């Protein structure tokens, strides 16, 4: 059974880079059927899609974050990484890793991790 | 970006009640609308995809309807385990994927 598990520092200082990893277990990240995404939820707010990566490294990002975001895939370790630079308190959020299908007509998030809380504070 | 307006933002109901949650989009999205259930500390769960298709393993008391700009998630007979926050999400025009602000379903 495929599972996603996010990990990374729970506290990041303002202006630094947030780095998170999502380990995919129980299946291969190299499936041509799926993209792997990062989604976040600031405290008391709704969900915001950050970006998605395909197993071959192709990415697309939320235009509101694209200047600060890098999402990459590590096929040898079956994991997906998120880097968000120049963070501020507004980046404090619960960060989720999720999977969505690759075809245009079937793009829903059918599998999620439990999330990891990142606080931006000095 | 396509804006998602979800209402009500919160809802109190009793076990056995029938409840409906509405999601309205800022432009027509055909049936590219999905619904999720989220409980604190848990991974969000896909309930309904393509507006009305039930995800495998989801109880049949959940149903979705609508197309264009107006969509509804209905729970026919609330169970204790259904008290959670529900989100709609569009996949018609991306990037970005956008979500509604959520509806918190609470026990009356």
């Amino acid at each position: 059974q495929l599972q996603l598990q996010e990990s990374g520092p729970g506290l990041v200082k303002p202006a630094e880079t947030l780095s998170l990893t999502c380990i995919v277990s129980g299946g291969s990240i190299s499936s041509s059927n799926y993209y792997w995404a990062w989604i976040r939820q600031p405290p008391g707010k709704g969900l915001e899609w950050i970006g998605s990566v395909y197993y071959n490294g192709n990415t697309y990002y939320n235009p509101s974050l694209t200047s600060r975001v890098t999402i990459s895939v590590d096929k040898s370790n079956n994991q997906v990484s998120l880097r968000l630079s120049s963070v501020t308190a507004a980046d404090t959020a619960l960060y989720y890793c999720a999977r969505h299908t690759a075809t245009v007509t079937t793009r829903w998030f059918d599998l999620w991790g439990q999330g990891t809380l990142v606080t931006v504070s000095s | 970006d396509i804006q998602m307006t979800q209402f009500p933002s919160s809802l109190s109901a009793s076990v056995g009640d029938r409840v409906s949650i509405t999601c309205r989009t800022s432009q027509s999205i055909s049936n590219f609308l999905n619904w999720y259930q989220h409980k604190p500390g848990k991974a969000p769960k896909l309930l309904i995809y393509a507006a009305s298709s039930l995800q495998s393993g989801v109880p049949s008391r959940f149903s979705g309807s609508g197309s264009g700009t107006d969509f509804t998630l209905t729970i026919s007979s609330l169970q204790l385990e259904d008290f959670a926050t529900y989100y709609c999400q569009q996949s018609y025009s991306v990037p970005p994927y956008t979500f509604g602000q959520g509806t918190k379903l609470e026990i009356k």
Side-chain angles (χ1 to χ4, degrees):
Chain A
Q1 180 179 350
L2 198 73
Q3 291 186 316
L4 309 179
Q5 181 64 58
E6 306 89 345
S7 64
L11 182 64
V12 181
K13 290 182 167 54
E16 294 190 344
T17 295
L18 177 162
S19 295
L20 297 176
T21 297
C22 172
I23 294 176
V24 179
S25 59
S28 174
I29 204 169
S30 297
S31 168
S32 61
N33 295 323
Y34 298 104
Y35 274 78
W36 307 91
W38 287 96
I39 294 164
R40 69 181 182 179
Q41 184 176 31
K45 296 188 177 181
L47 296 162
E48 179 183 36
W49 172 76
I50 299 169
S52 298
V53 63
Y54 198 44
Y55 77 98
N56 64 0
N58 286 350
T59 54
Y60 57 120
Y61 301 131
N62 191 320
S64 68
L65 296 169
T66 191
S67 63
R68 299 194 292 129
V69 173
T70 303
I71 297 176
S72 58
V73 60
D74 179 350
K75 289 185 285 187
S76 60
N77 290 305
N78 226 39
Q79 62 187 36
V80 180
S81 296
L82 167 70
R83 288 173 58 85
L84 182 66
S85 64
S86 306
V87 297
T88 69
D91 296 308
T92 293
L94 196 52
Y95 284 77
Y96 293 98
C97 178
R99 180 184 80 172
H100 67 83
T101 47
T103 53
V104 170
T105 56
T106 63
R107 291 180 299 193
W108 44 80
F109 299 96
D110 67 341
L111 186 66
W112 297 63
Q114 290 199 320
T116 188
L117 179 63
V118 178
T119 301
V120 178
S121 174
S122 55
Chain B
D1 298 0
I2 293 179
Q3 306 304 313
M4 316 286 289
T5 303
Q6 206 177 317
F7 53 90
S9 57
S10 64
L11 177 58
S12 293
S14 301
V15 172
D17 284 354
R18 178 184 179 92
V19 299
S20 293
I21 298 168
T22 298
C23 182
R24 185 163 291 157
T25 58
S26 59
Q27 65 185 74
S28 178
I29 61 168
S30 183
N31 69 335
F32 288 72
L33 192 284
N34 311 306
W35 290 97
Y36 301 86
Q37 178 192 68
H38 190 199
K39 297 179 181 179
K42 302 285 189 181
K45 178 183 175 182
L46 176 67
L47 298 176
I48 301 286
Y49 61 89
S52 61
S53 295
L54 193 67
Q55 172 70 346
S56 175
V58 174
S60 59
R61 62 181 180 272
F62 291 92
S63 63
S65 64
S67 67
T69 61
D70 291 299
F71 302 86
T72 302
L73 173 71
T74 299
I75 310 172
S76 62
S77 179
L78 271 175
Q79 302 301 302
L80 263 179
E81 61 267 30
D82 300 337
F83 293 94
T85 300
Y86 293 85
Y87 294 94
C88 58
Q89 172 251 324
Q90 68 83 22
S91 56
Y92 177 78
S93 177
V94 300
Y97 296 94
T98 47
F99 293 84
Q101 284 302 298
T103 294
K104 187 173 184 179
L105 181 52
E106 298 174 306
I107 301 174
K108 184 183 286 184

